[in-house]
Amino acid sequence: MSKVEIIATSTFGLEAVVAREVKQLGYENASVENGKVTFTADKLAICRANLWLRTAERIRLKIGEFKAVTFDELFEKTKALPWAEWLPVDAEFPVEGKSVKSTLFSVSDCQAIVKKAVVESLKKSYNKSWFDENGPLFKIEVALHKDIATLTIDTSGAGLHKRGYRRLISGAPLKETMAAAMIQLSYWNPDRPLHDPFCGSGTIPIEAALIGRNIAPGMNREFVSEDWPSIPKKLWQEARRETHDLAKYDRPLEITGTDIDGDIIIVARENAEEAMMEDAVRFRRLPVSGLRADEQYGCIICNPPYGERLGEKREIEQLYRMMGKTFSAMDTWSYYILTSYPEFESLFGKKADKNRKLYNGNIKSYYYQYYGPRPPRKEA
C-alpha cells in the first residue's frame, strides 16, 4: 500500500503526548514541531489515527510543502501537486489559510491563488473546464510559516475533541482532548481509583473511563474522509473492527466525579449515558471540603475554577487553601491540578513535584503534579 504523510495537529504543550500516542499505534517515525506531529504511513493510518488519537485536534493529509515568496511561486508549485490522486471530479474543495512570519502575508490572496491552482490542476487531470463541487468535502489548508507553504487536506471534519457524547456541557467546559491529556500525563492506571472533585459536565471522569476500558474515542462518531473514494471503505471497516476487538467493555473501574452544583451533576450523568459509561463512573453532589476517601493510592485529576467562574479573588484563594487542606489528608493519593492562577502553589500550601505549561483554550495554564507513594505491588 502506498505511503502518505499525515499531520496530527495539537494544542501547544501537548505535542509530546500526541507523538507518544502515534507511536503507540505503531508508527515509529513521528517528528514533532510546534502544534503538530508528522508521520508517514499507509492510508489505513488515516482511519486509525482519527479513531484512536485522544489528544490530537485533527488529522490532516499532507499534499505538499515548498518555499514560496511570490504569488507566482505559490500558484505554480500548488498546481504541480497531485490533487487528482485525492480529489474526485465532483469534490467540494474550499480553501482555508494562515500566514506567520512570511512574505506572502495576505491570507485571502493566498487562499484565492491556491483555489485557482487546484482548479487548473484538476482541469488538466479530468479534462473539464468547470467543477460543480457537489460531492465529498475536501477542506484544503494553505499554511505559510517563514515562507514555507504547507498544503494539507483535513480528514477529520469536526475536531477530534467532539467525541459525540457531550450533548450537554457546563459554562466553561474542558475540551475532551485536554482532559485525556491530563489523564495520560498522570500516573493513573485502571487499577487505581480516580476522582475529580470539580467534575462539571463529567469530561475528566468519562475520558478516564474510555481510557481505562481501551475504548477508541472516535468509535461512535463519523469523519469527513469516510466519504472519500480515495480511501477504500474496507480500510474504514478494518479500522472500526479493530476498535471493537481491542475494547475491554467489562473492565471494572473506580472512577468518581463530584461537584458543588447539583444541576451540573445531572448533566454529567446524562453525558456518561451518552458515552455508554454510566456503569463505569459515579457522580454525586459534594463540595470539595466534604471529600473523603476510603480507598488508598488513588489519583485526583481536576480543573478547578481559575477565577472567571467564581469572580472574586478572595473566594478563589479560599477554595485553593481548602483544596490543600483536604487533599493533604488523603496521604496516599496523588493529585494533578490544572489552573492558570499564578499563586496556586502558595495558596495550596505545597510546591508541586512537577508542573507543565499547557494551554487550556487560549488560557496559559500550569498542570501541577503532586506524587503520592507508589501503590504496593499486587501479588501474582
mmCIF file of all heavy atoms in Angstrom, residues 72-117:
data_model
loop_
_atom_site.group_PDB
_atom_site.id
_atom_site.type_symbol
_atom_site.label_atom_id
_atom_site.label_comp_id
_atom_site.label_asym_id
_atom_site.label_seq_id
_atom_site.Cartn_x
_atom_site.Cartn_y
_atom_site.Cartn_z
ATOM 1 N N ASP A 72 3.303 33.917 -7.828
ATOM 2 C CA ASP A 72 3.549 33.011 -8.961
ATOM 3 C C ASP A 72 4.107 31.677 -8.483
ATOM 4 O O ASP A 72 3.708 30.605 -8.960
ATOM 5 C CB ASP A 72 4.522 33.652 -9.963
ATOM 6 C CG ASP A 72 3.856 34.697 -10.832
ATOM 7 O OD1 ASP A 72 2.609 34.694 -10.897
ATOM 8 O OD2 ASP A 72 4.580 35.521 -11.442
ATOM 9 N N GLU A 73 5.061 31.740 -7.552
ATOM 10 C CA GLU A 73 5.619 30.502 -6.985
ATOM 11 C C GLU A 73 4.536 29.677 -6.301
ATOM 12 O O GLU A 73 4.452 28.452 -6.478
ATOM 13 C CB GLU A 73 6.697 30.853 -5.944
ATOM 14 C CG GLU A 73 8.102 30.914 -6.461
ATOM 15 C CD GLU A 73 9.100 31.044 -5.327
ATOM 16 O OE1 GLU A 73 8.959 31.953 -4.492
ATOM 17 O OE2 GLU A 73 10.023 30.208 -5.271
ATOM 18 N N LEU A 74 3.712 30.344 -5.511
ATOM 19 C CA LEU A 74 2.650 29.641 -4.801
ATOM 20 C C LEU A 74 1.696 28.969 -5.785
ATOM 21 O O LEU A 74 1.308 27.806 -5.602
ATOM 22 C CB LEU A 74 1.884 30.615 -3.907
ATOM 23 C CG LEU A 74 0.732 30.025 -3.075
ATOM 24 C CD1 LEU A 74 1.236 28.973 -2.099
ATOM 25 C CD2 LEU A 74 -0.013 31.136 -2.323
ATOM 26 N N PHE A 75 1.354 29.689 -6.854
ATOM 27 C CA PHE A 75 0.425 29.138 -7.846
ATOM 28 C C PHE A 75 1.024 27.929 -8.568
ATOM 29 O O PHE A 75 0.413 26.854 -8.637
ATOM 30 C CB PHE A 75 0.041 30.219 -8.864
ATOM 31 C CG PHE A 75 -0.852 29.712 -9.956
ATOM 32 C CD1 PHE A 75 -2.223 29.632 -9.777
ATOM 33 C CD2 PHE A 75 -0.327 29.294 -11.177
ATOM 34 C CE1 PHE A 75 -3.050 29.143 -10.777
ATOM 35 C CE2 PHE A 75 -1.143 28.805 -12.174
ATOM 36 C CZ PHE A 75 -2.513 28.733 -11.974
ATOM 37 N N GLU A 76 2.215 28.085 -9.115
ATOM 38 C CA GLU A 76 2.806 27.030 -9.944
ATOM 39 C C GLU A 76 3.132 25.782 -9.132
ATOM 40 O O GLU A 76 2.911 24.652 -9.590
ATOM 41 C CB GLU A 76 4.063 27.551 -10.647
ATOM 42 C CG GLU A 76 3.811 28.637 -11.685
ATOM 43 C CD GLU A 76 2.935 28.154 -12.843
ATOM 44 O OE1 GLU A 76 2.867 26.927 -13.091
ATOM 45 O OE2 GLU A 76 2.305 28.997 -13.497
ATOM 46 N N LYS A 77 3.663 25.970 -7.925
ATOM 47 C CA LYS A 77 4.035 24.805 -7.114
ATOM 48 C C LYS A 77 2.801 24.097 -6.551
ATOM 49 O O LYS A 77 2.812 22.867 -6.379
ATOM 50 C CB LYS A 77 4.986 25.236 -5.995
ATOM 51 C CG LYS A 77 6.362 25.649 -6.529
ATOM 52 C CD LYS A 77 7.309 26.090 -5.417
ATOM 53 C CE LYS A 77 8.661 26.474 -5.983
ATOM 54 N NZ LYS A 77 9.606 26.914 -4.920
ATOM 55 N N THR A 78 1.749 24.848 -6.284
ATOM 56 C CA THR A 78 0.495 24.212 -5.858
ATOM 57 C C THR A 78 -0.117 23.434 -7.011
ATOM 58 O O THR A 78 -0.573 22.290 -6.838
ATOM 59 C CB THR A 78 -0.501 25.273 -5.349
ATOM 60 O OG1 THR A 78 0.047 25.948 -4.219
ATOM 61 C CG2 THR A 78 -1.825 24.630 -4.960
ATOM 62 N N LYS A 79 -0.115 24.035 -8.178
ATOM 63 C CA LYS A 79 -0.688 23.393 -9.375
ATOM 64 C C LYS A 79 0.015 22.077 -9.691
ATOM 65 O O LYS A 79 -0.595 21.120 -10.188
ATOM 66 C CB LYS A 79 -0.586 24.353 -10.563
ATOM 67 C CG LYS A 79 -1.161 23.820 -11.865
ATOM 68 C CD LYS A 79 -0.950 24.830 -12.982
ATOM 69 C CE LYS A 79 -1.360 24.257 -14.325
ATOM 70 N NZ LYS A 79 -1.078 25.214 -15.429
ATOM 71 N N ALA A 80 1.310 21.991 -9.391
ATOM 72 C CA ALA A 80 2.103 20.797 -9.722
ATOM 73 C C ALA A 80 1.848 19.627 -8.770
ATOM 74 O O ALA A 80 2.292 18.506 -9.043
ATOM 75 C CB ALA A 80 3.594 21.150 -9.712
ATOM 76 N N LEU A 81 1.137 19.843 -7.683
ATOM 77 C CA LEU A 81 0.891 18.766 -6.722
ATOM 78 C C LEU A 81 -0.184 17.803 -7.250
ATOM 79 O O LEU A 81 -1.040 18.191 -8.045
ATOM 80 C CB LEU A 81 0.463 19.358 -5.378
ATOM 81 C CG LEU A 81 1.524 20.196 -4.649
ATOM 82 C CD1 LEU A 81 0.932 20.838 -3.397
ATOM 83 C CD2 LEU A 81 2.743 19.354 -4.285
ATOM 84 N N PRO A 82 -0.187 16.556 -6.781
ATOM 85 C CA PRO A 82 -1.083 15.514 -7.331
ATOM 86 C C PRO A 82 -2.496 15.570 -6.747
ATOM 87 O O PRO A 82 -2.967 14.630 -6.087
ATOM 88 C CB PRO A 82 -0.367 14.220 -6.951
ATOM 89 C CG PRO A 82 0.318 14.555 -5.653
ATOM 90 C CD PRO A 82 0.763 15.981 -5.790
ATOM 91 N N TRP A 83 -3.220 16.630 -7.004
ATOM 92 C CA TRP A 83 -4.545 16.807 -6.414
ATOM 93 C C TRP A 83 -5.542 15.736 -6.865
ATOM 94 O O TRP A 83 -6.394 15.286 -6.089
ATOM 95 C CB TRP A 83 -5.069 18.210 -6.727
ATOM 96 C CG TRP A 83 -4.251 19.274 -6.084
ATOM 97 C CD1 TRP A 83 -3.330 20.083 -6.686
ATOM 98 C CD2 TRP A 83 -4.237 19.618 -4.695
ATOM 99 N NE1 TRP A 83 -2.738 20.920 -5.763
ATOM 100 C CE2 TRP A 83 -3.280 20.657 -4.526
ATOM 101 C CE3 TRP A 83 -4.919 19.161 -3.570
ATOM 102 C CZ2 TRP A 83 -3.013 21.231 -3.292
ATOM 103 C CZ3 TRP A 83 -4.660 19.735 -2.343
ATOM 104 C CH2 TRP A 83 -3.719 20.756 -2.208
ATOM 105 N N ALA A 84 -5.447 15.337 -8.117
ATOM 106 C CA ALA A 84 -6.420 14.363 -8.646
ATOM 107 C C ALA A 84 -6.270 12.980 -8.010
ATOM 108 O O ALA A 84 -7.184 12.164 -8.096
ATOM 109 C CB ALA A 84 -6.289 14.260 -10.159
ATOM 110 N N GLU A 85 -5.129 12.725 -7.365
ATOM 111 C CA GLU A 85 -4.983 11.445 -6.660
ATOM 112 C C GLU A 85 -5.942 11.350 -5.475
ATOM 113 O O GLU A 85 -6.261 10.260 -5.006
ATOM 114 C CB GLU A 85 -3.539 11.277 -6.176
ATOM 115 C CG GLU A 85 -2.534 11.026 -7.304
ATOM 116 C CD GLU A 85 -1.136 10.797 -6.765
ATOM 117 O OE1 GLU A 85 -0.998 10.634 -5.521
ATOM 118 O OE2 GLU A 85 -0.182 10.789 -7.571
ATOM 119 N N TRP A 86 -6.390 12.509 -4.977
ATOM 120 C CA TRP A 86 -7.255 12.533 -3.801
ATOM 121 C C TRP A 86 -8.637 13.103 -4.103
ATOM 122 O O TRP A 86 -9.631 12.610 -3.585
ATOM 123 C CB TRP A 86 -6.577 13.350 -2.685
ATOM 124 C CG TRP A 86 -5.395 12.639 -2.140
ATOM 125 C CD1 TRP A 86 -4.084 12.803 -2.490
ATOM 126 C CD2 TRP A 86 -5.409 11.569 -1.191
ATOM 127 N NE1 TRP A 86 -3.282 11.925 -1.811
ATOM 128 C CE2 TRP A 86 -4.073 11.157 -0.993
ATOM 129 C CE3 TRP A 86 -6.413 10.941 -0.473
ATOM 130 C CZ2 TRP A 86 -3.731 10.128 -0.121
ATOM 131 C CZ3 TRP A 86 -6.081 9.915 0.407
ATOM 132 C CH2 TRP A 86 -4.753 9.520 0.579
ATOM 133 N N LEU A 87 -8.716 14.147 -4.911
ATOM 134 C CA LEU A 87 -9.986 14.819 -5.164
ATOM 135 C C LEU A 87 -10.695 14.214 -6.365
ATOM 136 O O LEU A 87 -10.159 14.251 -7.485
ATOM 137 C CB LEU A 87 -9.770 16.313 -5.419
ATOM 138 C CG LEU A 87 -9.650 17.230 -4.196
ATOM 139 C CD1 LEU A 87 -8.446 16.856 -3.347
ATOM 140 C CD2 LEU A 87 -9.568 18.686 -4.630
ATOM 141 N N PRO A 88 -11.891 13.649 -6.175
ATOM 142 C CA PRO A 88 -12.659 13.172 -7.328
ATOM 143 C C PRO A 88 -13.202 14.348 -8.138
ATOM 144 O O PRO A 88 -13.130 15.503 -7.694
ATOM 145 C CB PRO A 88 -13.787 12.365 -6.677
ATOM 146 C CG PRO A 88 -13.971 12.997 -5.336
ATOM 147 C CD PRO A 88 -12.605 13.439 -4.903
ATOM 148 N N VAL A 89 -13.776 14.068 -9.276
ATOM 149 C CA VAL A 89 -14.219 15.123 -10.181
ATOM 150 C C VAL A 89 -15.331 15.973 -9.571
ATOM 151 O O VAL A 89 -15.475 17.156 -9.909
ATOM 152 C CB VAL A 89 -14.662 14.509 -11.532
ATOM 153 C CG1 VAL A 89 -15.943 13.698 -11.373
ATOM 154 C CG2 VAL A 89 -14.814 15.591 -12.608
ATOM 155 N N ASP A 90 -16.104 15.404 -8.633
ATOM 156 C CA ASP A 90 -17.193 16.174 -8.022
ATOM 157 C C ASP A 90 -16.831 16.719 -6.643
ATOM 158 O O ASP A 90 -17.707 17.162 -5.890
ATOM 159 C CB ASP A 90 -18.451 15.317 -7.927
ATOM 160 C CG ASP A 90 -18.267 14.090 -7.037
ATOM 161 O OD1 ASP A 90 -17.094 13.745 -6.746
ATOM 162 O OD2 ASP A 90 -19.277 13.480 -6.649
ATOM 163 N N ALA A 91 -15.559 16.713 -6.274
ATOM 164 C CA ALA A 91 -15.133 17.126 -4.941
ATOM 165 C C ALA A 91 -15.524 18.570 -4.639
ATOM 166 O O ALA A 91 -15.457 19.456 -5.499
ATOM 167 C CB ALA A 91 -13.617 16.975 -4.807
ATOM 168 N N GLU A 92 -15.924 18.791 -3.390
ATOM 169 C CA GLU A 92 -16.072 20.152 -2.876
ATOM 170 C C GLU A 92 -14.771 20.487 -2.157
ATOM 171 O O GLU A 92 -14.357 19.770 -1.246
ATOM 172 C CB GLU A 92 -17.253 20.220 -1.904
ATOM 173 C CG GLU A 92 -17.461 21.596 -1.305
ATOM 174 C CD GLU A 92 -18.533 21.632 -0.232
ATOM 175 O OE1 GLU A 92 -19.174 20.592 -0.001
ATOM 176 O OE2 GLU A 92 -18.707 22.699 0.393
ATOM 177 N N PHE A 93 -14.104 21.567 -2.570
ATOM 178 C CA PHE A 93 -12.777 21.833 -2.001
ATOM 179 C C PHE A 93 -12.578 23.309 -1.647
ATOM 180 O O PHE A 93 -11.877 24.046 -2.301
ATOM 181 C CB PHE A 93 -11.655 21.324 -2.919
ATOM 182 C CG PHE A 93 -11.721 21.790 -4.348
ATOM 183 C CD1 PHE A 93 -10.901 22.813 -4.799
ATOM 184 C CD2 PHE A 93 -12.591 21.188 -5.248
ATOM 185 C CE1 PHE A 93 -10.943 23.240 -6.121
ATOM 186 C CE2 PHE A 93 -12.632 21.601 -6.575
ATOM 187 C CZ PHE A 93 -11.816 22.641 -7.008
ATOM 188 N N PRO A 94 -13.184 23.755 -0.547
ATOM 189 C CA PRO A 94 -12.897 25.114 -0.051
ATOM 190 C C PRO A 94 -11.463 25.202 0.440
ATOM 191 O O PRO A 94 -10.851 24.185 0.781
ATOM 192 C CB PRO A 94 -13.891 25.280 1.097
ATOM 193 C CG PRO A 94 -14.151 23.887 1.561
ATOM 194 C CD PRO A 94 -14.090 23.021 0.340
ATOM 195 N N VAL A 95 -10.924 26.412 0.474
ATOM 196 C CA VAL A 95 -9.532 26.622 0.889
ATOM 197 C C VAL A 95 -9.493 27.578 2.077
ATOM 198 O O VAL A 95 -10.068 28.670 2.028
ATOM 199 C CB VAL A 95 -8.678 27.185 -0.265
ATOM 200 C CG1 VAL A 95 -7.234 27.414 0.203
ATOM 201 C CG2 VAL A 95 -8.693 26.235 -1.459
ATOM 202 N N GLU A 96 -8.827 27.142 3.134
ATOM 203 C CA GLU A 96 -8.560 27.994 4.290
ATOM 204 C C GLU A 96 -7.081 28.334 4.306
ATOM 205 O O GLU A 96 -6.280 27.686 3.617
ATOM 206 C CB GLU A 96 -8.943 27.281 5.582
ATOM 207 C CG GLU A 96 -10.413 26.929 5.681
ATOM 208 C CD GLU A 96 -10.749 26.173 6.956
ATOM 209 O OE1 GLU A 96 -9.805 25.587 7.555
ATOM 210 O OE2 GLU A 96 -11.923 26.170 7.346
ATOM 211 N N GLY A 97 -6.694 29.322 5.101
ATOM 212 C CA GLY A 97 -5.274 29.684 5.111
ATOM 213 C C GLY A 97 -4.836 30.367 6.379
ATOM 214 O O GLY A 97 -5.642 30.842 7.174
ATOM 215 N N LYS A 98 -3.526 30.395 6.563
ATOM 216 C CA LYS A 98 -2.904 31.170 7.635
ATOM 217 C C LYS A 98 -1.487 31.489 7.223
ATOM 218 O O LYS A 98 -0.871 30.758 6.431
ATOM 219 C CB LYS A 98 -2.947 30.421 8.961
ATOM 220 C CG LYS A 98 -2.283 29.061 8.964
ATOM 221 C CD LYS A 98 -2.504 28.360 10.298
ATOM 222 C CE LYS A 98 -1.872 26.973 10.298
ATOM 223 N NZ LYS A 98 -2.133 26.248 11.561
ATOM 224 N N SER A 99 -0.968 32.598 7.739
ATOM 225 C CA SER A 99 0.385 33.027 7.383
ATOM 226 C C SER A 99 1.061 33.617 8.605
ATOM 227 O O SER A 99 0.507 34.496 9.266
ATOM 228 C CB SER A 99 0.340 34.062 6.252
ATOM 229 O OG SER A 99 1.643 34.489 5.921
ATOM 230 N N VAL A 100 2.260 33.106 8.912
ATOM 231 C CA VAL A 100 3.037 33.579 10.063
ATOM 232 C C VAL A 100 4.469 33.854 9.602
ATOM 233 O O VAL A 100 5.126 32.977 9.042
ATOM 234 C CB VAL A 100 3.036 32.527 11.200
ATOM 235 C CG1 VAL A 100 3.874 33.014 12.377
ATOM 236 C CG2 VAL A 100 1.617 32.199 11.633
ATOM 237 N N LYS A 101 4.928 35.083 9.821
ATOM 238 C CA LYS A 101 6.310 35.486 9.504
ATOM 239 C C LYS A 101 6.688 35.138 8.068
ATOM 240 O O LYS A 101 7.779 34.608 7.807
ATOM 241 C CB LYS A 101 7.293 34.821 10.487
ATOM 242 C CG LYS A 101 7.074 35.209 11.938
ATOM 243 C CD LYS A 101 8.060 34.498 12.866
ATOM 244 C CE LYS A 101 7.800 34.873 14.322
ATOM 245 N NZ LYS A 101 8.715 34.161 15.243
ATOM 246 N N SER A 102 5.783 35.420 7.132
ATOM 247 C CA SER A 102 6.021 35.078 5.720
ATOM 248 C C SER A 102 5.848 36.295 4.825
ATOM 249 O O SER A 102 5.084 37.217 5.140
ATOM 250 C CB SER A 102 5.063 33.972 5.270
ATOM 251 O OG SER A 102 5.335 32.772 5.958
ATOM 252 N N THR A 103 6.571 36.272 3.692
ATOM 253 C CA THR A 103 6.465 37.358 2.715
ATOM 254 C C THR A 103 5.039 37.470 2.187
ATOM 255 O O THR A 103 4.512 38.575 2.011
ATOM 256 C CB THR A 103 7.432 37.107 1.543
ATOM 257 O OG1 THR A 103 8.750 36.918 2.064
ATOM 258 C CG2 THR A 103 7.429 38.268 0.569
ATOM 259 N N LEU A 104 4.411 36.342 1.935
ATOM 260 C CA LEU A 104 3.018 36.315 1.484
ATOM 261 C C LEU A 104 2.121 36.357 2.712
ATOM 262 O O LEU A 104 1.754 35.323 3.266
ATOM 263 C CB LEU A 104 2.760 35.061 0.652
ATOM 264 C CG LEU A 104 3.647 34.877 -0.590
ATOM 265 C CD1 LEU A 104 3.312 33.578 -1.300
ATOM 266 C CD2 LEU A 104 3.492 36.053 -1.542
ATOM 267 N N PHE A 105 1.799 37.577 3.144
ATOM 268 C CA PHE A 105 1.079 37.724 4.401
ATOM 269 C C PHE A 105 -0.433 37.857 4.230
ATOM 270 O O PHE A 105 -1.177 37.743 5.195
ATOM 271 C CB PHE A 105 1.615 38.936 5.183
ATOM 272 C CG PHE A 105 1.484 40.241 4.444
ATOM 273 C CD1 PHE A 105 0.307 40.967 4.512
ATOM 274 C CD2 PHE A 105 2.535 40.731 3.688
ATOM 275 C CE1 PHE A 105 0.179 42.169 3.834
ATOM 276 C CE2 PHE A 105 2.409 41.926 3.000
ATOM 277 C CZ PHE A 105 1.229 42.647 3.075
ATOM 278 N N SER A 106 -0.890 38.104 3.006
ATOM 279 C CA SER A 106 -2.328 38.253 2.778
ATOM 280 C C SER A 106 -2.970 36.864 2.657
ATOM 281 O O SER A 106 -2.862 36.197 1.623
ATOM 282 C CB SER A 106 -2.604 39.071 1.519
ATOM 283 O OG SER A 106 -3.986 39.034 1.213
ATOM 284 N N VAL A 107 -3.650 36.451 3.704
ATOM 285 C CA VAL A 107 -4.242 35.109 3.729
ATOM 286 C C VAL A 107 -5.308 34.963 2.652
ATOM 287 O O VAL A 107 -5.380 33.939 1.966
ATOM 288 C CB VAL A 107 -4.816 34.806 5.130
ATOM 289 C CG1 VAL A 107 -5.603 33.502 5.124
ATOM 290 C CG2 VAL A 107 -3.691 34.748 6.160
ATOM 291 N N SER A 108 -6.148 35.977 2.487
ATOM 292 C CA SER A 108 -7.223 35.883 1.493
ATOM 293 C C SER A 108 -6.667 35.728 0.081
ATOM 294 O O SER A 108 -7.200 34.947 -0.725
ATOM 295 C CB SER A 108 -8.129 37.111 1.572
ATOM 296 O OG SER A 108 -7.391 38.303 1.349
ATOM 297 N N ASP A 109 -5.584 36.431 -0.234
ATOM 298 C CA ASP A 109 -4.964 36.287 -1.561
ATOM 299 C C ASP A 109 -4.369 34.889 -1.733
ATOM 300 O O ASP A 109 -4.498 34.275 -2.795
ATOM 301 C CB ASP A 109 -3.875 37.344 -1.757
ATOM 302 C CG ASP A 109 -4.447 38.739 -1.996
ATOM 303 O OD1 ASP A 109 -5.609 38.829 -2.448
ATOM 304 O OD2 ASP A 109 -3.739 39.721 -1.717
ATOM 305 N N CYS A 110 -3.717 34.389 -0.688
ATOM 306 C CA CYS A 110 -3.133 33.040 -0.765
ATOM 307 C C CYS A 110 -4.216 31.981 -0.967
ATOM 308 O O CYS A 110 -4.047 31.046 -1.758
ATOM 309 C CB CYS A 110 -2.335 32.742 0.502
ATOM 310 S SG CYS A 110 -0.835 33.725 0.684
ATOM 311 N N GLN A 111 -5.328 32.132 -0.271
ATOM 312 C CA GLN A 111 -6.432 31.191 -0.436
ATOM 313 C C GLN A 111 -6.951 31.204 -1.876
ATOM 314 O O GLN A 111 -7.190 30.141 -2.469
ATOM 315 C CB GLN A 111 -7.574 31.559 0.521
ATOM 316 C CG GLN A 111 -7.275 31.280 1.980
ATOM 317 C CD GLN A 111 -8.371 31.792 2.900
ATOM 318 O OE1 GLN A 111 -8.111 32.173 4.010
ATOM 319 N NE2 GLN A 111 -9.606 31.815 2.441
ATOM 320 N N ALA A 112 -7.138 32.403 -2.420
ATOM 321 C CA ALA A 112 -7.662 32.521 -3.784
ATOM 322 C C ALA A 112 -6.707 31.909 -4.801
ATOM 323 O O ALA A 112 -7.130 31.229 -5.751
ATOM 324 C CB ALA A 112 -7.916 33.992 -4.115
ATOM 325 N N ILE A 113 -5.407 32.110 -4.612
ATOM 326 C CA ILE A 113 -4.418 31.588 -5.550
ATOM 327 C C ILE A 113 -4.351 30.066 -5.471
ATOM 328 O O ILE A 113 -4.275 29.377 -6.496
ATOM 329 C CB ILE A 113 -3.044 32.231 -5.273
ATOM 330 C CG1 ILE A 113 -3.067 33.681 -5.783
ATOM 331 C CG2 ILE A 113 -1.913 31.455 -5.930
ATOM 332 C CD1 ILE A 113 -1.941 34.525 -5.270
ATOM 333 N N VAL A 114 -4.397 29.522 -4.261
ATOM 334 C CA VAL A 114 -4.378 28.064 -4.105
ATOM 335 C C VAL A 114 -5.628 27.459 -4.723
ATOM 336 O O VAL A 114 -5.560 26.433 -5.418
ATOM 337 C CB VAL A 114 -4.242 27.676 -2.618
ATOM 338 C CG1 VAL A 114 -4.553 26.201 -2.402
ATOM 339 C CG2 VAL A 114 -2.833 27.995 -2.120
ATOM 340 N N LYS A 115 -6.765 28.076 -4.498
ATOM 341 C CA LYS A 115 -8.009 27.574 -5.095
ATOM 342 C C LYS A 115 -7.891 27.532 -6.620
ATOM 343 O O LYS A 115 -8.226 26.518 -7.263
ATOM 344 C CB LYS A 115 -9.175 28.480 -4.684
ATOM 345 C CG LYS A 115 -10.524 28.096 -5.286
ATOM 346 C CD LYS A 115 -11.111 26.873 -4.617
ATOM 347 C CE LYS A 115 -12.511 26.572 -5.142
ATOM 348 N NZ LYS A 115 -13.158 25.480 -4.430
ATOM 349 N N LYS A 116 -7.401 28.610 -7.206
ATOM 350 C CA LYS A 116 -7.253 28.674 -8.661
ATOM 351 C C LYS A 116 -6.264 27.626 -9.162
ATOM 352 O O LYS A 116 -6.492 26.970 -10.192
ATOM 353 C CB LYS A 116 -6.791 30.067 -9.070
ATOM 354 C CG LYS A 116 -6.687 30.272 -10.574
ATOM 355 C CD LYS A 116 -6.253 31.686 -10.911
ATOM 356 C CE LYS A 116 -6.118 31.871 -12.433
ATOM 357 N NZ LYS A 116 -5.669 33.241 -12.772
ATOM 358 N N ALA A 117 -5.177 27.425 -8.414
ATOM 359 C CA ALA A 117 -4.157 26.449 -8.821
ATOM 360 C C ALA A 117 -4.702 25.028 -8.780
ATOM 361 O O ALA A 117 -4.427 24.212 -9.669
ATOM 362 C CB ALA A 117 -2.932 26.579 -7.920
#
